[in-house]
Amino acid sequence: METNKEVKQDELQEALRLLYANVITSTIVSAFVSTAFVFSFNSSDQEYSSNKIIWWLIMMIGLLLRLFDLAYYRKKTSQKYTSSKKDLWVFSSYSLLTACIWGAYPLYFFPFSNPGELATTIIIICGIASGVANMWSAHRFTAVSCVLVMSGPYTIVLLFSEDSYHHIMGTMGLAYTIVMSLSAVKFSSFTYKAIHLKNQNAQLLQNMEKKVEVRTQRIYRLSNVDRLTGLLNRTAFLKELNQVVDADPETPFALLFIDLDGFKQINDSLGHQAGDKVVKETASRIALLSQDSLPICRWGGDEFLVTYKFESIEDVNRFSEELIHTISLPHSITQSKTWVGATIGVALYPEHGSHHDTLIQNADMAMYQQKRIEKGQVGHFSESLRLQNIRDHLLSDRLLTAIEKSEMRLVFQPIIKSKTGSIACIEALLRWHLDGEEVSPIEFIPIAEQYGMIKNIGLWVVEKACQQIITLSQNGRALTVSINVSVIQLQDREFVTHIKTLLTRLKFEPSLLHIEITESVFAADKTVLMKQIKALQEMSIKISIDDFGTGYSSLASMQDLGVDIVKIDKSFIDNVNGSGSNIVHAVMQISQSMGYQVVAEGVESLEQVEKLNEIGVHFLQGYYFSKPLEVDQLTDYLNDRLN
């Protein structure tokens, strides 16, 4: 059935090609003959001559319309346009318009024509009708209709004339009209058969070529195409990327490394079958937006590579953001809708590498860096990022042995009771001294999290802090210690067990331990975290939210998690005598209803202390009281405060 449709379409296309191929010839003939008609036969009647010129102008307009139609059709077909029956009827309409103008001439001017002009007119009209029967033979209706319209009415008028001479001319014209109509039918049948046979043969050849092509494609797909998505696999992508560079080494392009956000949760919660559907649909969305001439591939898992030729960096960003938006639209995998996001890393050829390995590595690097900063956005590779990556690898290598080599240590900063000025707690802060350099926790903690070292380092911090607090708490001084814990640690289902085992071994009182978690905890799986937090609180360990107001927290989430302490971020304390006081007031009011206590971080001046005391903040922490202290400095500090 599909093949028959294709044959019919090809036949229509070929018929229109033949018809339009004769338009210029027929137009030239019509223009020449109509001009001869009008200007060859002179008449003393001024009105008669004027009417002939009017007819001639109408003919010229009709011919111009045919030429415009020809130009329009050629323009459409030059753009891979598929012809339709509408095009055929448009052609027929213009042809019949011209035929009607020809047929009108002898009808209108018959009363004014002398015998010579009359004979000439019928001969020429019949001659043109003969040409029409031949030229329009690709469409039977057009050919026959034009013959009848051009010569039929005039011959009938002659037959009904009272003049015997007219009868003879009319009889001859009618006979010729019938013969030409039959010839038009015959020519059309012959032309149709020729077109049909031509396209049948072409279709047979095309079908043979398609079978060969299908077999070739099967072989190609087995070795070059990812079975799940239909995109190129790694091997084929690298091959085609090299071909792009070899074919046009001077033209820059962007390589986009796409990684799905939230895909693991879909696999874990809905199963791998649902995950496969998401990957497959995502691939279709990427392919729909991508340039057909450039390679794209599924790099592996939920990662994709897209090649994009661009005009500017803004163009790359626009395309990347469009990809992220399209990928992030909901997927109808189950009865409910499922969402994933996407983060994209971009490397530019040849600016960021002339070899595919370098480009892919740099785009991958940019993507992971962007994930660290903010997911769901576009990140570009840069030289500074390359240097940062080298440093990150160095730090990750050295982190493996940092504890064994005693490069890590703890420093401590007191937290003060606002009402009494006494020490309420001591926060333990991790420091890393590497080859004479103090590496900031802001730099090495994310690396430890990324490379899976944070759990061991975190447990070491808890153990070390508890040991040192035990030492400092001798002589009857019971000190409480606050320790920062990564969300990754808290998500570890064995974390609570490890803490309980460690405290039991050290004989450390759990009520003297506070665990601080950042607001990023609210972006994680709350169900798991709530269980972990409740388990810790059941051991009498206090839970604090650190850097409150800078991240993901909401009052509803805080209420669900049931935290004990909230630490207001330094950014609000810096402006506590201005607009920041509104935030502090609000937090204090909510704390009364929700039952948690409040710590103000980053207190650095007496004015801040007075204002915070006025508001009623429970605890204060910052350089005004003490900077983070080494262990021996803390000992002296405690002795001074307690003696």
Side-chain angles (χ1 to χ4, degrees):
M1 183 65 72
E2 190 65 31
T3 301
N4 290 337
K5 287 183 179 179
E6 291 176 3
V7 171
K8 292 291 184 183
Q9 179 61 44
D10 290 342
E11 289 174 0
L12 174 63
Q13 196 96 359
E14 180 66 15
L16 280 165
R17 187 190 67 79
L18 291 174
L19 290 169
Y20 276 104
N22 291 318
V23 167
I24 292 179
T25 302
S26 68
T27 302
I28 293 173
V29 171
S30 294
F32 177 77
V33 174
S34 62
T35 302
F37 258 22
V38 172
F39 298 103
S40 296
F41 298 101
N42 297 320
S43 175
S44 59
D45 188 334
Q46 187 65 32
E47 183 180 357
Y48 174 65
S49 299
S50 298
N51 288 339
K52 288 180 74 173
I53 291 174
I54 291 172
W55 176 86
W56 179 78
L57 290 173
I58 293 172
M59 174 61 80
M60 293 301 107
I61 292 171
L63 296 177
L64 281 174
L65 288 174
R66 297 207 61 188
L67 291 175
F68 280 128
D69 177 51
L70 172 64
Y72 180 61
Y73 182 77
R74 285 182 173 177
K75 181 180 179 182
K76 289 193 295 184
T77 53
S78 67
Q79 299 172 350
K80 297 183 178 179
Y81 171 75
T82 301
S83 300
S84 65
K85 288 186 177 180
K86 179 182 175 182
D87 298 307
L88 195 58
W89 293 117
V90 168
F91 177 87
S92 294
S93 299
Y94 283 114
S95 299
L96 284 170
L97 174 64
T98 308
C100 287
I101 297 172
W102 274 118
Y105 179 88
L107 291 177
Y108 184 78
F109 296 109
F110 168 69
F112 310 101
S113 302
N114 56 48
E117 185 175 353
L118 185 67
T120 303
T121 300
I122 195 167
I123 291 171
I124 290 176
I125 291 292
C126 288
I128 293 176
S130 174
V132 165
N134 185 21
M135 285 191 291
W136 302 160
S137 62
H139 188 223
R140 179 179 298 172
F141 173 82
T142 304
V144 175
S145 299
C146 287
V147 168
L148 293 174
V149 168
M150 290 177 69
S151 59
Y154 188 30
T155 58
I156 293 172
V157 169
L158 290 173
L159 287 172
F160 284 95
S161 174
E162 296 178 357
D163 191 322
S164 60
Y165 175 72
H166 291 169
H167 288 170
I168 294 171
M169 297 299 293
T171 302
M172 291 175 60
L174 180 61
Y176 194 80
T177 299
I178 294 171
V179 170
M180 284 299 98
S181 298
L182 294 174
S183 296
V185 172
K186 185 176 181 181
F187 291 157
S188 295
S189 298
F190 178 80
T191 305
Y192 171 76
K193 288 180 180 178
I195 293 173
H196 184 68
L197 287 173
K198 176 184 176 182
N199 284 282
Q200 266 195 334
N201 292 335
Q203 192 66 42
L204 287 172
L205 181 60
Q206 186 177 358
N207 288 340
M208 290 178 64
E209 291 175 347
K210 281 184 177 180
K211 289 180 179 179
V212 174
E213 184 179 352
V214 167
R215 291 184 179 180
T216 304
Q217 287 179 349
R218 284 179 181 173
I219 297 171
Y220 177 83
R221 289 179 66 85
L222 288 173
S223 58
N224 294 279
V225 176
D226 177 66
R227 291 186 178 181
L228 176 62
T229 64
L231 301 180
L232 297 176
N233 59 24
R234 287 193 179 200
T235 303
F237 176 81
L238 296 177
K239 180 180 178 181
E240 291 201 13
L241 187 61
N242 285 335
Q243 290 174 353
V244 169
V245 174
D246 293 341
D248 192 4
E250 302 301 322
T251 301
F253 62 83
L255 184 67
L256 281 59
F257 199 114
I258 304 172
D259 185 78
L260 301 186
D261 302 325
F263 179 73
K264 184 177 183 297
Q265 287 87 329
I266 292 177
N267 263 345
D268 293 343
S269 59
L270 301 178
H272 289 282
Q273 187 174 1
D276 286 347
K277 289 181 179 179
V278 170
V279 169
K280 189 174 181 179
E281 189 170 328
T282 298
S284 298
R285 296 178 184 183
I286 293 172
L288 190 64
L289 289 177
S290 300
Q291 297 167 332
D292 294 337
S293 60
L294 294 174
I296 60 176
C297 87
R298 180 191 181 198
W299 191 243
D302 60 338
E303 296 175 336
F304 301 87
L305 289 180
V306 175
T307 316
Y308 180 73
K309 286 188 177 178
F310 62 94
E311 296 179 358
S312 64
I313 296 299
E314 290 74 19
D315 183 28
V316 176
N317 289 335
R318 177 202 57 76
F319 175 67
S320 300
E321 289 166 3
E322 188 176 1
L323 276 172
I324 291 173
H325 170 75
T326 303
I327 292 170
S328 302
L329 294 174
H331 296 263
S332 299
I333 303 302
T334 59
Q335 292 181 348
S336 60
K337 294 186 181 297
T338 302
W339 281 266
V340 293
T343 302
I344 297 179
V346 178
L348 305 179
Y349 168 88
E351 181 180 345
H352 299 147
S354 56
H355 191 268
H356 59 70
D357 286 342
T358 306
L359 280 173
I360 294 171
Q361 181 183 6
N362 291 341
D364 184 27
M365 192 186 307
M367 183 273 295
Y368 274 109
Q369 177 65 13
Q370 184 58 48
K371 272 186 176 287
R372 292 192 198 106
I373 300 170
E374 182 182 3
K375 293 181 179 179
Q377 300 295 327
V378 184
H380 287 260
F381 176 78
S382 63
E383 180 61 22
S384 61
L385 178 59
R386 186 185 69 82
L387 295 175
Q388 181 62 49
N389 191 61
I390 293 173
R391 178 171 171 81
D392 287 351
H393 280 292
L394 170 65
L395 295 182
S396 66
D397 289 341
R398 297 295 296 272
L399 270 174
L400 289 170
T401 57
I403 294 175
E404 297 175 10
K405 294 183 178 180
S406 301
E407 294 172 348
M408 287 192 166
R409 71 189 192 285
L410 297 179
V411 295
F412 300 87
Q413 187 174 34
I415 299 174
I416 306 300
K417 295 179 181 179
S418 59
K419 289 184 178 180
T420 64
S422 60
I423 298 173
C425 183
I426 298 172
E427 181 176 0
L429 302 167
L430 182 60
R431 295 292 184 263
W432 184 18
H433 189 78
L434 176 64
D435 299 336
E437 174 193 5
E438 287 290 339
V439 183
S440 169
I442 296 175
E443 184 178 13
F444 71 77
I445 291 297
I447 295 173
E449 290 177 336
Q450 180 182 351
Y451 291 96
M453 294 178 274
I454 191 64
K455 294 178 183 179
N456 290 335
I457 292 175
L459 287 175
W460 178 85
V461 169
V462 175
E463 181 175 6
K464 193 70 173 177
C466 291
Q467 287 176 340
Q468 293 185 343
I469 289 300
I470 289 172
T471 302
L472 292 169
S473 297
Q474 292 176 357
N475 302 322
R477 295 183 299 191
L479 296 175
T480 301
V481 65
S482 182
I483 300 171
N484 290 283
V485 169
S486 166
V487 174
I488 294 176
Q489 289 177 262
L490 203 58
Q491 288 175 326
D492 180 8
R493 298 181 186 276
E494 299 297 319
F495 176 71
V496 175
T497 303
H498 289 319
I499 293 296
K500 184 182 291 186
T501 302
L502 189 152
L503 296 181
T504 301
R505 177 166 55 82
L506 295 177
K507 297 180 180 179
F508 189 89
E509 174 58 43
S511 63
L512 299 179
L513 176 62
H514 290 187
I515 287 181
E516 294 188 18
I517 52 180
T518 63
E519 284 190 284
S520 59
V521 70
F522 295 103
D525 185 349
K526 201 161 63 174
T527 304
V528 173
L529 296 176
M530 286 176 63
K531 290 182 180 179
Q532 298 286 74
I533 288 173
K534 295 301 180 187
L536 292 170
Q537 289 174 326
E538 288 172 1
M539 294 168 56
S540 299
I541 296 173
K542 296 289 191 299
I543 303 297
S544 301
I545 296 295
D546 197 13
D547 301 329
F548 178 77
T550 61
Y552 303 87
S553 66
S554 69
L555 296 177
S557 297
M558 288 175 59
Q559 189 174 25
D560 290 340
L561 292 175
V563 299
D564 301 294
I565 300 168
V566 168
K567 302 184 76 173
I568 303 177
D569 186 69
K570 181 180 184 298
S571 59
F572 299 109
I573 306 304
D574 288 342
N575 199 26
V576 72
N577 289 305
S579 59
S581 64
N582 296 328
I583 302 294
V584 179
H585 272 292
V587 173
M588 289 304 303
Q589 289 174 3
I590 297 168
S591 73
Q592 293 176 359
S593 61
M594 295 182 65
Y596 58 76
Q597 294 182 306
V598 178
V599 178
E601 295 183 296
V603 180
E604 295 182 350
S605 68
L606 178 60
E607 290 79 4
Q608 291 174 340
V609 172
E610 291 172 346
K611 183 65 176 179
L612 292 167
N613 282 333
E614 178 187 330
I615 295 172
V617 174
H618 305 107
F619 305 101
L620 308 175
Q621 179 182 3
Y623 275 33
Y624 178 78
F625 301 100
S626 174
K627 65 180 182 179
L629 302 170
E630 303 290 342
V631 176
D632 55 347
Q633 293 174 326
L634 177 62
T635 302
D636 295 338
Y637 179 85
L638 291 174
N639 289 334
D640 291 341
R641 298 281 296 194
L642 297 174
N643 291 334

